[in-house]
């Protein structure tokens, strides 16, 4: 039996120790030991921060937003001796805070959470309209567009919930809803701007989107049921 | 009704075998889905089992044995294909070939190349080797296939197993006995992560980035294997003397070697933690007969900023960290995170190309970056009494990784504990410190490196 004089392990008939490269004393005459050294240096580094919990995160964001509102209000007051432009920013920040509260703090009260999330955006534009002294654009354009987006978002959610088999059909439904949004948007803009509906760009978008939707629906309901493409598109 | 819907959803995720007009195909299991994206020509994610027999291998009989094994376990004879949303396995129409063994294991076999099987069988003189991709199976699944192959080979050579295979103690040896049928068989390729998916648990805490060995690599295509042999009884006695398990003892030795390298590194490493990953076989906590992946890991870490720890202290700390992490509830948190993400509709609807990109990013940020290396213990291997005299030794070689560079795996056969270090690094410091520590605690170690003198077993 041959042993490496440095490592103390048995190395059989190998010419050198596989660990340190020392020549096998039984096979050769020279030694070529690699001496291992220990370096005791330490490198103190910063601790990584622990993951923040939602409540702490909400608190930090609230304080940050409050400071931002105070600073904006103070600067505005200092410059113009009254609240002017800062009201827009402060109102927006305030509504952002309500949305954040709904997101972080109302996880266990879903109805209130949804209600807040849905009502706050149109309300924001109504108030901004009030501040600006012109409610026309807010009530005539901004609020309807927001309500359109929210209704279509709700529709997508309902479709997702009702779909028994979820697949490419969901992408198709989203595409159809996007087409509806395009048309709705142009209708609302036309009504606000010229008082009548003259569809120009939205039908082009809708046709393109609907053709994609039809393709996905075809894949989902026809091809995947019977063809070999199932394996290719499984998800 | 809701319960029925949930059960249908679970069934869809658990059962990997599907059928369409072109025949059967398999979905990848939860651990496998990330593997193709992080596999390349060097980090092949292949691990190897080898068995040294008492007589030269007959390649013709080996081919027949392989065909029998693959017929019984067809879910192994597959190749990887890209879908639009996920990868999937397509059954190969031909029987797998056998290949002459190579100087460097687990290299030169990239599962992403079109038509490549997910495993390969090699032979040389008295040795049979099987290399399996982690996209296909884990150590327990791979050894099940490999033992079945050995059993078929020895039976064809006229050796009587001396026991009923496929039942009781030998239920992991699946020898060919007609058509596949019944629930027990479908369990063999189930996604057990999804079967035991625990919904609604908090995710496990993120671990800090760990120290990695230096990046001086061996030339491309080389993968150095240093093997150490010990007496199992001697190691177990030492572990019992310290009131710990064999795996814990070896992990502590590994950690000790890493902490010495950490302190020897100049300039000091940016990452203050050394971490050793210990893969665990989930079948011991969650009963399953699956031959697919069903393992997770426990991570043992030490903060080097606190100073170098005494070996005895390290042993105790490893033992207690292991006790804290290795229980059904803690493991369930990992299961919840891993299996849950694959169920998420938003994740499922993302095209594969984009998934691949994010898989690489996540694997690099939250995967191997958290560990300095792993030591995998397959435990005591058993074969039916009739086969034992014909099998001289077993070996288990870890999958190569460009991030951790050096990893270890071990198993016991008879009274021999075989530890194999697989390394892509030029330095042998980790192996040296590991085996020297074993010597210093009074264990008898025999070490060899097959690439130093060709294949040493020749």
């Amino acid at each position: 039996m041959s042993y490496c004089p440095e490592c103390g392990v048995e190395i059989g008939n190998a010419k050198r120790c596989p660990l340190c490269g020392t020549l096998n004393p039984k096979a050769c005459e020279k030694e070529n030991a690699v001496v291992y050294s220990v370096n005791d240096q330490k490198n103190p580094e910063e601790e990584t921060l622990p993951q923040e919990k939602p409540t702490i995160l909400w608190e930090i964001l609230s304080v940050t937003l409050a400071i931002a509102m105070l600073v904006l209000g103070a600067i505005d007051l200092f410059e113009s001796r009254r609240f002017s432009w800062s009201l827009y920013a402060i109102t927006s920040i305030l509504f952002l805070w309500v949305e954040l509260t709904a997101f972080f703090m109302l996880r266990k009260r879903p109805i209130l959470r949804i209600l807040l999330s849905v009502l706050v955006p149109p309300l924001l534009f109504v108030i901004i309209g009030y501040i600006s002294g012109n409610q026309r654009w807010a009530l005539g354009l901004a609020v309807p567009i927001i309500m359109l987006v929210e209704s279509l978002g709700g529709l997508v959610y309902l479709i997702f919930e009702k779909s028994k088999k979820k697949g490419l059909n969901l992408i198709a439904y989203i595409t159809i809803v996007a087409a509806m949004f395009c048309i709705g948007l142009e209708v609302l803009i036309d009504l606000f701007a010229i008082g009548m509906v003259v569809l120009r760009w939205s039908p082009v978008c809708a046709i393109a989107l609907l053709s994609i939707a039809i393709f996905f629906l075809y894949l989902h309901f026809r091809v995947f049921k019977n063809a070999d493409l199932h394996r290719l598109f499984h998800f | 009704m809701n319960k029925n819907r949930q059960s249908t959803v679970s069934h869809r995720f658990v059962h990997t075998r599907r059928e369409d007009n072109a025949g059967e195909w398999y979905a990848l299991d939860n651990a496998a889905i990330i593997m193709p994206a992080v596999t390349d020509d060097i980090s092949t994610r292949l691990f190897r089992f080898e068995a040294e027999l008492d007589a030269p291998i007959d390649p013709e009989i080996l081919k027949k044995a392989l065909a029998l094994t693959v017929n019984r376990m067809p879910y192994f004879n597959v190749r990887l294909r890209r879908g639009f949303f996920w990868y999937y396995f397509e059954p190969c129409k031909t029987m797998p070939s056998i290949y002459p063994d190579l100087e460097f294991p687990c290299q030169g076999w990239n599962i992403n190349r079109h038509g490549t099987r997910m495993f390969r069988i090699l032979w040389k003189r008295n040795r049979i080797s099987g290399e399996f991709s982690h996209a296909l199976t884990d150590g327990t699944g791979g050894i099940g296939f490999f033992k079945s192959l050995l059993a078929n080979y020895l039976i064809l050579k006229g050796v009587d197993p001396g026991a009923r295979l496929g039942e009781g103690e030998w239920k992991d040896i699946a020898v060919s006995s007609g058509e596949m049928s019944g629930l027990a068989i479908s369990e063999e390729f189930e996604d057990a992560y999804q079967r035991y998916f625990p919904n609604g648990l908090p995710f496990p805490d993120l671990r800090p980035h760990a120290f990695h060995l230096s990046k001086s690599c061996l030339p491309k295509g080389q993968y150095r294997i240093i093997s150490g042999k010990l007496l199992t009884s001697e190691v177990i006695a030492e572990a019992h003397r310290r009131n710990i398990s064999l795996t814990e003892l070896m992990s502590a030795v590994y950690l000790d070697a890493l902490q010495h390298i950490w302190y020897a590194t100049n300039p000091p490493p940016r990452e203050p933690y050394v971490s050793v990953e210990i893969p665990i076989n989930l079948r011991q906590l969650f009963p399953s007969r699956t031959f697919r992946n069903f393992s997770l890991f426990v991570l043992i870490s030490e903060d080097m900023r606190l100073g170098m720890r005494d070996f005895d202290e390290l042993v105790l700390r490893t033992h207690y960290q292991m006790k804290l992490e290795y229980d059904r509830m803690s493991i369930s948190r990992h299961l919840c995170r891993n299996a849950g993400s694959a169920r998420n509709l938003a994740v499922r609807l993302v095209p594969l190309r984009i998934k691949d990109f994010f898989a690489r990013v996540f694997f690099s940020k939250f995967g191997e970056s958290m560990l300095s290396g792993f030591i995998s213990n397959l435990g005591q291997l058993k074969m039916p009494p009739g086969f034992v005299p014909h099998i001289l030794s077993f070996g288990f070689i870890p999958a190569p990784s460009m991030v951790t560079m050096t990893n270890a795996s071990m198993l016991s056969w008879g009274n021999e504990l075989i530890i194999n270090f697989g390394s892509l690094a030029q330095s042998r410091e980790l192996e040296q410190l590991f085996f020297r520590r074993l010597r210093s605690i009074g264990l008898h170690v025999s070490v060899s490196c097959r690439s130093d003198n060709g294949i040493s077993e020749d």
Side-chain angles (χ1 to χ4, degrees):
Chain A
M1 291 289 173
S2 299
Y3 287 85
C4 169
E6 294 297 324
C7 302
V9 299
E10 190 190 320
I11 53 175
N13 297 325
K15 283 179 188 164
R16 289 175 182 272
C17 170
L19 302 175
C20 64
T22 305
L23 289 170
N24 186 342
K26 285 201 175 172
C28 309
E29 53 299 317
K30 271 190 179 177
E31 279 198 355
N32 185 22
V34 177
V35 180
Y36 170 72
S37 67
V38 173
N39 184 350
D40 253 357
Q41 287 178 32
K42 282 183 272 180
N43 177 31
E45 283 189 15
E46 292 298 311
E47 282 283 343
T48 44
L49 280 171
Q51 226 180 351
E52 298 290 350
K53 288 182 176 171
T55 318
I56 299 169
L57 193 61
W58 173 80
E59 195 179 306
I60 292 169
L61 287 169
S62 301
V63 171
T64 314
L65 294 178
I67 291 169
M69 285 195 292
L70 277 174
V71 169
L72 289 167
I75 293 172
D76 193 17
L77 207 59
F78 176 73
E79 277 191 338
S80 47
R81 307 289 169 198
R82 64 187 180 91
F83 290 110
S84 55
W85 55 265
S86 65
L87 281 176
Y88 298 105
I90 289 171
T91 314
S92 305
I93 291 173
L94 208 58
F95 281 94
L96 177 65
W97 178 79
V98 175
E99 289 285 2
L100 287 172
T101 306
F103 183 76
F104 285 115
M105 304 304 290
L106 299 174
R107 283 165 187 264
K108 288 180 183 167
R109 301 172 75 176
I111 295 173
L112 186 62
R113 194 182 187 190
I114 292 168
L115 266 177
L116 266 180
S117 309
V118 168
L119 292 177
V120 161
L123 202 60
L124 167 69
F125 284 94
V126 170
I127 292 175
I128 289 180
Y130 175 76
I131 294 168
S132 68
N134 181 5
Q135 293 266 29
R136 192 179 162 262
W137 66 268
L139 295 173
L141 191 64
V143 173
I145 289 174
I146 287 168
M147 288 173 74
L148 176 69
V149 170
E150 286 179 347
S151 327
L152 292 176
L155 182 66
V156 169
Y157 178 78
L158 279 178
I159 292 170
F160 271 47
E161 282 295 296
K162 291 283 172 195
S163 296
K164 282 182 186 166
K165 206 175 171 191
K166 294 184 173 68
L168 290 179
N169 55 336
L170 297 184
I171 298 177
Y173 298 144
I174 292 172
T175 318
I176 292 169
V177 169
M180 288 162 70
F181 174 72
C182 289
I183 291 175
L185 186 65
E186 190 170 20
V187 167
L188 291 174
I189 292 171
D190 280 358
L191 285 175
F192 177 74
I194 53 175
M196 57 186 288
V197 178
V198 186
L199 295 179
R200 280 188 289 263
W201 55 269
S202 63
V204 179
C205 291
I207 288 166
L209 288 166
L210 285 174
S211 58
I212 295 169
I214 289 166
F215 177 68
F216 278 121
L217 288 173
Y218 165 73
L219 282 179
H220 182 79
F221 289 109
R222 177 78 185 148
V223 178
F224 286 179
K225 275 194 173 171
N226 295 312
D228 314 340
L229 288 176
H230 190 195
R231 62 180 64 185
L232 208 62
F233 286 93
H234 86 279
F235 77 99
Chain B
M1 190 179 155
N2 224 352
K3 212 171 180 181
N4 272 346
R5 197 177 151 189
Q6 199 166 353
S7 140
T8 318
V9 170
S10 291
H11 184 276
R12 172 206 164 122
F13 287 115
V14 172
H15 292 275
T16 59
R17 185 172 172 274
R18 318 270 164 86
E19 247 178 273
D20 56 24
N21 278 3
E24 62 175 3
W25 56 279
Y26 299 89
L28 274 67
D29 66 67
N30 188 258
I33 50 180
I34 199 170
M35 288 301 162
V38 296
T39 295
D40 55 42
D41 286 335
I42 299 170
S43 297
T44 54
R45 313 286 163 197
L46 289 175
F47 56 91
R48 172 190 272 229
F49 292 110
E50 330 178 304
E52 195 82 23
L53 303 189
D54 63 344
I57 305 303
D58 182 334
E60 287 309 311
I61 293 183
L62 182 59
K63 264 187 214 166
K64 282 180 194 163
L66 181 57
L68 283 174
T69 314
V70 158
N71 273 336
R72 171 60 185 78
M73 303 164 95
Y75 41 88
F76 269 81
N77 190 25
V78 290
R79 58 186 174 169
L80 189 72
R81 297 300 301 266
R82 292 183 73 91
F84 187 77
F85 296 108
W86 294 108
Y87 289 98
Y88 63 93
F89 290 139
E90 193 173 72
C92 298
K93 291 188 174 71
T94 55
M95 282 296 145
S97 310
I98 57 170
Y99 303 89
D101 207 349
L102 306 163
E103 187 179 0
F104 298 105
C106 308
Q107 290 290 290
W109 190 265
N110 189 342
I111 56 160
N112 288 315
R113 290 218 181 102
H114 186 72
T116 306
R117 273 189 176 78
M118 305 304 290
F119 74 99
R120 63 175 170 180
I121 301 298
L122 308 102
W123 66 280
K124 184 162 189 170
R125 298 189 185 174
N126 290 20
R127 184 170 61 203
I128 301 176
S129 308
E131 292 181 352
F132 302 87
S133 167
H134 257 305
L136 179 69
T137 183
D138 59 6
T140 308
I143 196 66
F145 182 89
F146 192 65
K147 281 165 76 172
S148 306
L149 172 67
L150 281 181
N152 278 321
Y153 177 80
L154 289 168
I155 289 169
L156 287 174
K157 290 280 279 182
V159 179
D160 177 21
R164 282 179 71 88
L165 304 182
E167 295 174 7
E169 196 181 355
W170 315 113
K171 69 177 177 209
D172 61 334
I173 300 177
V175 287
S176 193
S177 56
E179 289 297 304
M180 293 176 60
S181 62
L183 180 68
I185 303 300
S186 75
E187 258 188 58
E188 291 177 6
F189 45 84
E190 72 175 5
D191 184 347
Y193 296 100
Q194 295 292 356
R195 183 171 160 197
Y196 288 104
F197 168 65
N199 201 3
L201 295 187
F203 288 174
D205 299 330
L206 275 180
R207 305 295 285 264
H209 282 200
F211 161 69
H212 289 129
L213 299 177
S214 97
K215 293 285 178 194
S216 306
C217 302
L218 292 169
K220 192 181 173 187
Q222 291 192 15
Y223 186 46
R224 185 187 60 244
I225 307 300
I226 291 185
S227 307
K229 288 183 180 171
L230 296 96
L231 292 174
T232 311
S233 54
E234 205 178 76
V235 183
I236 288 177
E238 176 63 22
H240 284 177
R241 192 180 68 75
R242 294 169 180 269
N243 290 323
I244 57 168
S245 70
L246 187 149
T247 308
E248 287 164 358
L249 177 65
M250 291 301 164
S251 308
V253 174
Y254 200 113
L255 213 51
D256 184 53
L258 282 170
Q259 75 164 350
H260 277 89
I261 295 174
W262 193 94
Y263 277 107
T265 306
N266 200 9
R270 228 157 39 98
E271 300 84 6
Y273 290 90
V274 293
S275 301
V276 175
E277 181 189 274
I278 305 168
I280 50 171
N281 178 12
L282 290 184
R283 296 163 186 87
Q284 289 169 355
L285 296 174
F286 306 91
S288 172
R289 290 189 63 185
T290 187
F291 282 93
R292 290 271 190 246
N293 286 294
F294 194 36
S295 54
L296 276 170
F297 59 84
V298 167
L299 210 56
I300 310 289
S301 301
E302 286 298 341
D303 188 339
M304 292 294 99
R305 292 169 298 186
L306 303 176
M308 171 110 62
R309 289 193 187 273
D310 174 63
F311 178 66
D312 291 334
E313 194 188 350
L314 213 53
V315 167
L316 274 182
R317 288 178 59 83
T318 304
H319 172 67
Y320 290 124
Q321 284 190 59
M322 193 70 177
K323 280 264 178 264
L324 278 173
E325 293 290 324
Y326 186 32
D327 73 291
R328 203 178 152 111
M329 280 189 206
S330 305
I331 297 298
S332 295
R333 294 174 68 185
H334 290 266
L335 265 182
C336 179
R337 180 189 59 191
N338 297 0
S341 57
R343 286 177 175 231
N344 187 314
L345 187 66
V347 173
R348 281 155 51 203
L349 283 174
V350 172
L352 185 59
R353 292 274 175 201
I354 300 170
K355 275 198 192 97
D356 274 355
F357 171 77
F358 282 105
R360 280 183 214 111
V361 171
F362 277 98
F363 197 70
S364 124
K365 289 272 172 207
F366 308 115
E368 283 184 314
S369 65
M370 294 193 306
L371 50 124
S372 310
F374 68 76
I375 182 160
S376 176
N377 183 11
L378 203 66
Q380 179 75 44
L381 280 197
K382 286 184 178 169
M383 286 295 275
F387 295 156
V388 173
H390 301 280
I391 304 170
L392 304 182
S393 70
F394 271 103
F396 176 22
I397 292 172
S401 160
M402 274 302 282
V403 178
T404 55
M405 303 295 273
T406 305
N407 296 301
S409 51
M410 58 183 167
L411 54 76
S412 302
W413 171 245
N415 192 27
E416 204 168 52
L417 175 70
I418 302 114
I419 306 174
N420 283 318
F421 275 85
S423 182
L424 294 167
Q426 282 183 352
S427 165
R428 300 179 183 206
E429 200 177 5
L430 180 69
E431 295 93 320
Q432 187 191 105
L433 287 164
F434 183 91
F435 287 116
R436 279 187 181 183
R437 171 60 71 190
L438 290 179
R439 277 296 301 140
S440 78
I441 57 173
L443 299 174
H444 181 262
V445 190
S446 164
V447 179
S448 63
C449 175
R450 63 180 61 179
S451 52
D452 282 351
N453 304 306
I455 296 178
S456 63
E457 288 85 345
D458 287 357

